[in-house]
Amino acid sequence: MSLLAAYLLLRDTSFLKEASTKYPKDPRVELTILDANLFPEDRVQWLKAFKENATDNALANYLSALDLFRAGQTESAIGESVQGGRKSVLDTYWPDLANAVAEAYISAGFPPEDANFMGNTTVGISRYAEELRGLCTSLSNEAFQHQQNGDIAGANTLFMLVLEIGSQLASGTTGKLLSNEVAGDEIQSGILGHIVGSETINLNGTAASGDERAEALWARRNYIDQLIDSVPLDELILSHALSKDDLLEVSKRVRTQGEVSAMEWLRDKLGPNLPPQPSASERK
């Protein structure tokens, strides 16, 4: 993790190459190598290693599916996506990486509250939400093609897969990032109306109609918008409105429990003592 932190801070690939030599079976190393496209000629092998060493992580399959779609291998891409949809975890390992970066800053003499905040900001901007949006777009296009050809069952199977990916992104391990939860909910909202002839949709062990799921997603998004208005976390941090102890606690909660949970904790702790903030429309 020290080698990965050094690479993330300095973007010096020599640290990443050393990690690839010493820890080739660590999924966090493999994903960072894939993200950096460090060995493009061996990308297929690194993807295979990632799948073998993170057998429960759907992200390995989805990255493979994206590459296959780009290569025009549609059926294989769908097969990889189906395998990913059956898995229990969607993990980018960002909390581990953020913690390693924070420890590097502390070792360099930075105060813990600043080090933990910088660890989050260095790592906590993920491109995987957009990557998975792209995958869901490709899968949706295939579903629409099935619909046009009269294959309603095949279309619904692909639409349900898109729902599963959106749900994984919103609520999985990587869903600790607010941007991922929002993207995952938007993926689900955008596809619900296209599922034909199904009165109930079974997802995450619950059965509900499409309208009920759409209403629940809307309510969640409305709640998040209101929470951001009352606790604009980034602005509170950057304006130095939080005490050192609160900044440290919030930064740790973002990694361990998620951004929404961290904002809820801060709202409940400070209550009326929260500094007044402009509304979302005023900030725009």
Side-chain angles (χ1 to χ4, degrees):
M1 295 311 295
S2 296
L3 290 169
L4 294 183
Y7 162 71
L8 291 167
L9 286 167
L10 303 175
R11 295 298 168 177
D12 182 342
T13 56
S14 65
F15 293 107
L16 191 49
K17 289 177 180 177
E18 184 178 348
S20 73
T21 300
K22 291 183 175 179
Y23 310 102
K25 295 184 178 182
D26 190 314
R28 298 166 298 186
V29 173
E30 292 158 349
L31 180 57
T32 307
I33 287 169
L34 290 165
D35 184 52
N37 201 24
L38 183 61
F39 305 114
E41 68 281 2
D42 296 324
R43 182 171 177 84
V44 173
Q45 285 74 23
W46 281 102
L47 275 169
K48 180 180 178 182
F50 185 26
K51 284 189 282 187
E52 289 175 349
N53 294 305
T55 55
D56 61 344
N57 191 352
L59 184 60
N61 298 97
Y62 295 150
L63 293 179
S64 292
L66 280 163
D67 283 358
L68 290 166
F69 267 123
R70 290 163 184 154
Q73 299 179 44
T74 302
E75 290 304 315
S76 296
I78 291 173
E80 283 284 356
S81 301
V82 169
Q83 289 184 46
R86 294 170 178 162
K87 295 186 176 180
S88 59
V89 174
L90 178 62
D91 195 355
T92 65
Y93 309 112
W94 87 267
D96 288 350
L97 296 169
N99 189 60
V101 171
E103 290 179 357
Y105 274 116
I106 290 173
S107 297
F110 284 78
E113 65 275 7
D114 292 339
N116 278 272
F117 170 64
M118 289 187 287
N120 288 5
T121 55
T122 299
V123 181
I125 300 176
S126 173
R127 67 177 182 83
Y128 293 108
E130 291 308 310
E131 291 276 286
L132 293 178
R133 280 184 192 270
L135 175 60
C136 288
T137 296
S138 295
L139 291 168
S140 297
N141 288 339
E142 290 299 314
F144 293 137
Q145 190 63 52
H146 280 281
Q147 276 188 339
Q148 290 176 5
N149 294 337
D151 182 8
I152 302 303
N156 282 352
T157 297
L158 290 174
F159 285 140
M160 286 300 300
L161 178 57
V162 171
L163 275 181
E164 182 62 46
I165 295 172
S167 177
Q168 288 174 325
L169 182 59
S171 59
T173 304
T174 197
K176 289 185 174 71
L177 291 173
L178 182 58
S179 58
N180 287 341
E181 179 174 351
V182 170
D185 288 347
E186 288 176 348
I187 288 170
Q188 295 175 78
S189 296
I191 212 69
L192 280 169
H194 297 289
I195 299 175
V196 177
S198 177
E199 294 185 3
T200 60
I201 296 172
N202 293 291
L203 190 65
N204 295 333
T206 62
S209 69
D211 288 343
E212 289 170 336
R213 291 195 180 279
E215 184 177 346
L217 289 168
W218 179 87
R220 177 64 174 175
R221 181 59 187 271
N222 188 51
Y223 173 75
I224 288 174
D225 286 344
Q226 291 177 356
L227 185 62
I228 292 172
D229 274 348
S230 62
V231 191
L233 193 55
D234 289 343
E235 293 180 22
L236 289 169
I237 292 171
L238 294 173
S239 65
H240 304 287
L242 302 182
S243 69
K244 292 180 178 180
D245 288 343
D246 285 345
L247 175 57
L248 178 59
E249 182 65 22
V250 163
S251 296
K252 289 183 176 181
R253 283 176 179 264
V254 165
R255 288 204 298 276
T256 58
Q257 300 177 31
E259 288 181 278
V260 170
S261 179
M263 287 189 288
E264 290 171 333
W265 174 83
L266 192 59
R267 176 201 61 195
D268 295 343
K269 180 179 186 296
L270 297 183
N273 295 319
L274 270 170
Q277 297 293 325
S279 67
S281 59
E282 291 171 331
R283 287 199 297 274
K284 289 179 181 178

